Amino acid sequence: MANLPEDLERLRLAAHSQIAAAQDPTALEQLRVALLGKKGTLTATLRGLGSLPPTERAQAGERANAVKKELEEAIAARAAALEEARRAGLAEQEWLDITFIPQDEGYGHLHPITLIMREIRAVFSHIGYTVAVGPEVEDEWHNFEALNIPAGHPARDDMDSFYVGSGALLLRTHTSPVQIRYMEQHQPPIRIIAPGRVYRRDYDATHLPQFHQVEGLCVDSDIRLSDLKGTLEYFARSIFGAERRIRLTGDHFPFTEPSVGVAVSCGICGGAGCSSCKRGWLEILGAGMVHPQVLRNGGIDPARYSGFAFGMGPDRIAMLKYNLPDIRSIVEPDVRFLRQF
Ligand code: PHE
């Protein structure tokens, strides 16, 4: 039978040189398992203790445990030394030159539509408007009926819609349904804008199938057309410049009465007419006094309250402000174009 104390001593010496030779934590861990793990060599040696005569067993057992502890400590010490060396090496391998000035790689920036949307929000928030939102998948009541656009109404043809599923839901064709949704939840005074995406089956140089609108709604006691005019004049001057004027002309929307089209004076000729604007005025939005039935549909008593609403296309506002000839340029990923903003 093998001599256990001798085996133990041989194992101890061999283990020390193996530990010293381990070059990384993984190798060290493999070594630990090979020595001290359940199937490790030292563990096997310890098991051999049982076959010793009882007189030798206690002493040999004590020695074996001491070796085990010694090796555990040696492994821990080696692990600490390897970690120390790794950290010391980091200073060589991973350094940061904080004086380095990189070449301009061309940073990203906000898209013109995002810029104009933010500007519109800021302009209205200065006069006490808050932002409201509604769903992009709408039901026909909110998108049409509650806005005085019953089935068969010609206005539905102007807003050729994307229906969803079996047809009771559609992608909203305008942000006006947010008027109804907001009135359902709030009594006057109401001053909101509702920016968001809208959808129509349309695509050419001035129409996109998905575009943006910003709706506005103001409902309070004694709101008049002059309030609408003052508000939109303030808006147009804030966006386009203090020298600009607005012009209201008669228009028609089923959900406002009276309805107006709002144009801003051309920035080049001031309204006289030039080759850029043709007639001196640029249409920027639709608006009007909220129809009494629409107030009623939103749960507001038209005998006590009146209001105005407006809807604009920020895509168009951006085209006018930045002089863009083709609306498609703002959805195409041409960085040469986008870089200009
Ligand atoms: N919803 C109308 C459209 O999409 C715009 C509008 C909004 C007109 C509010 C008047 C009042 O054309």
Side-chain angles (χ1 to χ4, degrees):
M1 205 197 86
N3 179 327
L4 199 111
E6 265 179 30
D7 284 353
L8 198 57
E9 184 58 10
R10 214 175 299 123
L11 194 152
R12 188 181 76 85
L13 293 175
H16 272 299
S17 52
Q18 285 172 313
I19 290 168
Q23 287 309 314
D24 60 77
T26 326
L28 190 63
E29 174 60 12
Q30 280 166 358
L31 184 57
R32 191 190 63 75
V33 173
L35 291 169
L36 307 175
K38 272 198 189 123
K39 295 179 183 155
T41 42
L42 183 70
T43 318
T45 311
L46 282 170
R47 257 187 227 117
L49 285 171
S51 58
L52 287 177
T55 46
E56 294 172 30
R57 201 183 292 159
Q59 207 195 352
E62 212 172 285
R63 178 68 194 138
N65 276 325
V67 168
K68 183 176 182 213
K69 189 159 173 255
E70 180 185 318
L71 293 182
E72 278 167 355
E73 283 168 5
I75 289 171
R78 179 70 187 148
L82 285 174
E83 175 61 13
E84 175 95 346
R86 186 188 70 83
R87 290 204 190 170
L90 274 187
E92 293 299 315
Q93 294 153 17
E94 292 183 19
W95 49 269
L96 183 67
D97 179 358
I98 58 166
T99 64
F100 179 69
I101 297 170
Q103 296 248 318
D104 183 358
E105 297 284 350
Y107 296 105
H109 60 79
L110 297 175
H111 190 276
I113 296 299
T114 309
L115 290 171
I116 207 86
M117 297 277 268
R118 288 193 177 184
E119 204 176 327
I120 294 169
R121 275 184 198 216
V123 166
F124 281 103
S125 89
H126 279 151
I127 53 171
Y129 281 67
T130 55
V131 170
V133 289
E136 289 178 25
V137 177
E138 256 305 357
D139 53 54
E140 293 188 302
W141 166 255
H142 288 96
N143 196 79
F144 291 130
E145 265 113 60
L147 294 161
N148 291 343
I149 314 174
H153 191 287
R156 292 209 187 190
D157 301 338
D158 297 341
M159 302 190 193
D160 225 354
S161 320
F162 290 109
Y163 276 86
V164 175
S166 56
L169 298 174
L170 69 157
L171 299 183
R172 65 179 179 191
T173 56
H174 52 174
T175 44
S176 299
V178 185
Q179 290 186 34
I180 305 295
R181 289 190 177 273
Y182 196 84
M183 289 190 286
E184 284 169 351
Q185 305 287 334
H186 303 83
Q187 281 296 305
I190 291 173
R191 276 174 186 76
I192 53 145
I193 57 167
R197 281 183 283 267
V198 299
Y199 304 84
R200 291 184 199 176
R201 291 166 45 157
D202 235 343
Y203 190 52
D204 61 37
T206 53
H207 297 91
L208 296 171
Q210 184 211 62
F211 57 105
H212 301 84
Q213 283 191 339
V214 178
E215 193 79 11
L217 178 67
C218 169
V219 183
D220 208 337
S221 42
D222 231 8
I223 296 292
R224 305 156 190 232
L225 192 64
S226 52
D227 298 311
L228 169 64
K229 188 175 183 207
T231 301
L232 293 179
E233 190 167 65
Y234 155 76
F235 162 75
R237 290 181 166 172
S238 305
I239 296 285
F240 295 106
E243 73 292 352
R244 307 291 275 265
R245 290 169 296 146
I246 62 163
R247 186 182 72 177
L248 272 51
T249 50
D251 206 331
H252 174 77
F253 301 102
F255 36 92
T256 48
E257 180 57 38
S259 300
V260 292
V262 180
V264 64
S265 56
C266 168
I268 298 167
C269 64
C274 68
S275 61
S276 159
C277 64
K278 310 281 189 302
R279 295 205 179 81
W281 295 89
L282 309 156
E283 283 285 334
I284 53 167
L285 53 86
M289 302 307 290
V290 182
H291 194 289
Q293 185 57 42
V294 173
L295 290 174
R296 234 174 264 127
N297 291 341
I300 288 174
D301 179 3
R304 283 181 65 195
Y305 297 109
S306 54
F308 63 76
F310 56 86
M312 67 179 87
D315 312 68
R316 175 161 169 79
I317 307 272
M319 285 178 80
L320 293 175
K321 179 160 175 159
Y322 303 128
N323 254 317
L324 313 177
D326 188 333
I327 197 169
R328 287 173 293 201
S329 56
I330 54 187
V331 289
E332 281 165 1
D334 185 338
V335 287
R336 291 167 307 178
F337 167 79
L338 292 169
R339 238 182 230 139
Q340 302 172 84
F341 296 90

